[in-house]
Amino acid sequence: MLSLQEKGGFPDEFRAFCDHELSVTMDSFGGINEVELIDCLERDGFLYPDQGVLPVFSKRRGVSLKRPLFGPAIQLFSRFPDGRTVPHYPEDPAMYPWGVDGENAEQSFSMLMDRRRILWRCTRKVSGSSEWYLSLSRRHLFRGEYFSFKNQRIGDHCEEQYKAAGLPCNKTEPFPNGPAKVEWSETGFHPGKNILLYRGEIQFPYGKKVYFFALSADVPLIPDELPFQRILKADWKSREFITAAMAFGDSEEEASAMALDAVHHYELIRKKKIEYGDQLEKEALSYEMEALPLAESFGKACAGYVDSMLVGNGCGTRAASNKFGFFAMWDTIYPIRDFLWNGRMEDAKRMLRHIAGYPWIESSPWVAAHVILEWDEVLAFDDDPLLEKELYPVMKKIFNFCLRLTESRFRLVLCGMNAGVDYPEELGLSGLFLSPCVNGFWYGACRVIRNHAARLGDEKTAEEAAEVIRRIECGFRQVFFAASPGYLRSGADRNLNPGPVEIYQNTSTLGYDYPYGMYLMRSLTSSLAAYQAGQLWHPKGHLSVPLDSPVPCEMWKTVHMNQHNGHEMKLQRLAGNVPEIHRVIGEYLKNFARWKVAQETFNYAGAEGNVFQTANWQTFSATAALEALRSGVAGIFRHRGGLWYCPAEDSGRVVLRNLPLRNRRITVEISGSGRYAEMSVNGRAFSGSMQLPCDLPIQSENPVWEIRRTSDETTLPFLLSATDLPIRNLRKEKQCVTFTAAGTASSPLCIAGAPGGILLTVNGTPVSCEWDPESSLAWIDRVWKEGDVIRFENKKTEKNSRPHKQ
């Protein structure tokens, strides 16, 4: 299993580790600063992980003599024969998502986590009599309140949105949110069991819950008590190593049994975790990129981290390894994508089902629309008719609720937040308003609903969605595009009047993160990409707002938000600006190499909280970076029609291995240089489409999709993408291309290489196209029926620049 090696110690003062619900932070010398749990409760067979994190030991929440706590909560050390007291710590550490190893000439240290257990192994390399100690700080043992937030849809303007939708907002909550009072106390040392036991009582707004944790070791322990510490010590005698464990349970018996099992089966537990990590990496999609060599180790690390951050029964992922708990929002929906691309379909479906079943999921349009889009993406990887039918009623409910929140003219959806700014009042927006990010998602969700409704025979809903789609297309640019700066506005009020702060970058181009955003904003792509790369330029990425923005919060002028790398880099790819992609993602990977984590934000102003960014792995930062590598750097996109390649001026070898396609894994090899491309699968060349036809044979043991960039030109136009529409029978006939629709869908087709426009027929009947002379792209959006034969050719046949070679 890949370990992230760091010479000399952690690259910061501390490092966060987690394994599912349990997380810890550790300082450079092996001291545990924080021990925290995500509490999960079940009701009617549905799990509710907490957004708030239950503190057990806490350094950052504690004080001593009115000063912050400086020392660790838990420290392991030995007193050597020469009288020195030496901490066990991981010098030159090898770091895993769930643990760390390290050693020097005198001692070694290993810590690993196994669900609700922490295991330590200490080794001494000096001879003579010595003693081993485990010290627990009573000052770090948490006593106080934290905010429990298990029901995450009540709030977030829920009442206001339900009132605007003309519906009652029934505040029935499975587990009411509110402050939870915590008290941890020692119940005593039990010599017969060799166990020190603690009891925690948490008074939630909905009732009391009790936890226990037990500490034990594989040597007889001698307890000692100091005013502010509890010491457990042991004699090394002739031992090579000592193993200790802390385990959490719902009863004394469970915690004790788990701790004793851990100390006696350390090697087996570690072996299984390493083997499991090796298997995750072996099966995960791998990235080899000549221009970005760090992409390979980053991709391998991601496979282990996203797995270690699963919570509950795999119903979702935690937001970060320690900084956050469970967010039933973007942090859960977006990382489903990681499991899909790594071929873990059942995990992806489990997470999707959980978020789709979350109470009040429809009450937040930017989250709800995202659920619809991710449902469609799951089905793009696995065309599962049972899953489609099972979740369609939920998706229809979301669609119908959001319909009631649309303004009357363009059917743009109103929301109490946009997808990025914490306080919309900063933008001069309050109550329910319109934002381009939410409506980018809303448009894509409507397109998805239209197709699935038609597939399932719900013609009424399909027609409703079709009308909303038509109206959004009429109004999106008019309401949200500011022509003078050439970028999307921060938002507008319900009367379609722009907000007082015109530009707010953080999430404006969010719609590009899913397939239909490319069509909705097709006429804006070049302008939006240029604004991001120019007006929002920073040496390590893009600022959230331009430097002269009237936004009062200075943070937005000093941070690059990594969770938006996915849609930003897709936009740059579609605009052909590959150097900007390499620049931004190159800086991201440099920070990964330095800090060994996927950082949420890059803060340029030395903010006090930035240390938490450099110590924590942040889930959807990694998801966005992987999406940027696949689609931005490699140019590989996916929708229900299949995989497609977006050509752009580029060079350098790119290889993606283990890419899921039709219940198989394929390899994508991209080589050569230039802005054009020629394609083959298993050595069989094909032309006329950048989208893989669904009838290409991929039955060999190691299917290879080869893409060779070239600078050669041709007069042949080609299909770039048919969103959510599979194609077959692709062939070239002199100066025209024909293919057959392999499904039925309302789909925008994009045909590239059209300097003078396109002549297109469907089943022999001419059909008009929308043509953009600047990009030489032609668009045709209509309902395609399975078996439709599409034929196209250039209106002009003279040689012109084309992004394709035959």
Side-chain angles (χ1 to χ4, degrees), residues 687-707:
S687 58
S689 175
M690 293 290 110
Q691 180 173 313
L692 282 181
C694 65
D695 58 346
L696 278 178
I698 56 167
Q699 304 307 316
S700 65
E701 185 175 347
N702 298 300
V704 177
W705 177 16
E706 186 177 5
I707 302 167

Side-chain angles (χ1 to χ4, degrees), residues 630-631 634-638 643-645 656 659 668 670 705 707:
R630 284 187 299 265
S631 298
I636 301 298
F637 291 71
R638 185 175 214 141
L643 293 166
W644 65 280
Y645 173 71
L656 304 180
L659 193 154
V668 181
I670 306 171
W705 177 16
I707 302 167

Side-chain angles (χ1 to χ4, degrees), residues 43-63:
R43 180 167 175 174
D44 299 329
F46 193 85
L47 271 177
Y48 294 87
D50 208 321
Q51 180 178 313
V53 184
L54 169 62
V56 182
F57 289 92
S58 181
K59 179 178 179 179
R60 63 178 178 261
R61 291 180 175 93
V63 294

Side-chain angles (χ1 to χ4, degrees), residues 33 37 168 210 219 290 391 587-588 629-630 753:
N33 296 327
L37 275 168
V210 176
V219 291
E290 184 179 340
L391 294 185
E587 291 300 325
Y588 182 89
L629 289 172
R630 284 187 299 265

Side-chain angles (χ1 to χ4, degrees), residues 228-408:
F228 301 109
Q229 289 173 284
R230 166 59 101 166
I231 304 287
L232 295 173
K233 59 184 178 180
D235 194 333
W236 272 104
K237 294 184 178 177
S238 60
R239 297 184 63 89
E240 179 187 354
F241 55 78
I242 291 175
T243 307
M246 172 188 285
F248 289 84
D250 297 325
S251 66
E252 292 186 17
E253 293 75 17
E254 182 184 25
S256 299
M258 289 172 64
L260 292 172
D261 176 78
V263 297
H264 294 302
H265 296 98
Y266 175 89
E267 290 89 352
L268 179 61
I269 294 168
R270 179 177 175 80
K271 180 174 180 286
K272 285 183 176 179
K273 293 191 79 69
I274 294 291
E275 288 177 347
Y276 180 62
D278 287 341
Q279 190 66 24
L280 289 176
E281 287 180 15
K282 180 181 178 182
E283 295 176 355
L285 175 60
S286 70
Y287 305 79
E288 295 176 25
M289 295 176 168
E290 184 179 340
L292 298 169
L294 292 169
E296 185 173 9
S297 60
F298 177 72
K300 288 181 178 180
C302 286
Y305 272 94
V306 72
D307 188 85
S308 73
M309 298 173 81
L310 285 167
V311 296
N313 59 358
C315 64
T317 57
R318 60 190 302 152
S321 50
N322 177 263
K323 182 185 177 187
F324 300 117
F326 172 84
F327 284 70
M329 295 185 291
W330 194 328
D331 307 71
T332 293
I333 305 166
Y334 202 35
I336 291 174
R337 188 169 268 179
D338 297 339
F339 293 92
L340 291 173
W341 286 97
N342 284 339
R344 298 177 59 175
M345 282 304 309
E346 292 310 310
D347 294 285
K349 290 178 182 179
R350 185 183 306 111
M351 294 170 69
L352 177 66
R353 286 187 172 102
H354 183 267
I355 195 65
Y358 208 89
W360 306 88
I361 188 65
E362 74 280 2
S363 70
S364 184
W366 75 270
V367 176
H370 199 178
V371 173
I372 293 175
L373 293 166
E374 196 52 44
W375 171 56
D376 193 60
E377 184 164 65
V378 170
L379 293 170
F381 280 79
D382 184 2
D383 192 12
D384 183 345
L386 295 178
L387 183 71
E388 181 184 30
K389 291 179 182 178
E390 173 193 343
L391 294 185
Y392 177 70
V394 177
M395 306 307 164
K396 182 176 176 179
K397 177 184 177 183
I398 290 171
F399 172 71
N400 286 333
F401 179 84
C402 290
L403 272 183
R404 302 175 75 124
L405 283 175
T406 57
E407 49 79 32
S408 60

Side-chain angles (χ1 to χ4, degrees), residues 567-594:
H567 61 87
E568 288 184 5
M569 297 306 104
K570 285 181 176 178
L571 168 61
Q572 297 297 329
R573 181 77 191 196
L574 292 168
N577 193 0
V578 173
E580 179 69 356
I581 300 167
H582 286 173
R583 182 186 76 82
V584 174
I585 300 306
E587 291 300 325
Y588 182 89
L589 293 173
K590 286 179 188 176
N591 271 48
F592 164 73
R594 180 181 180 187

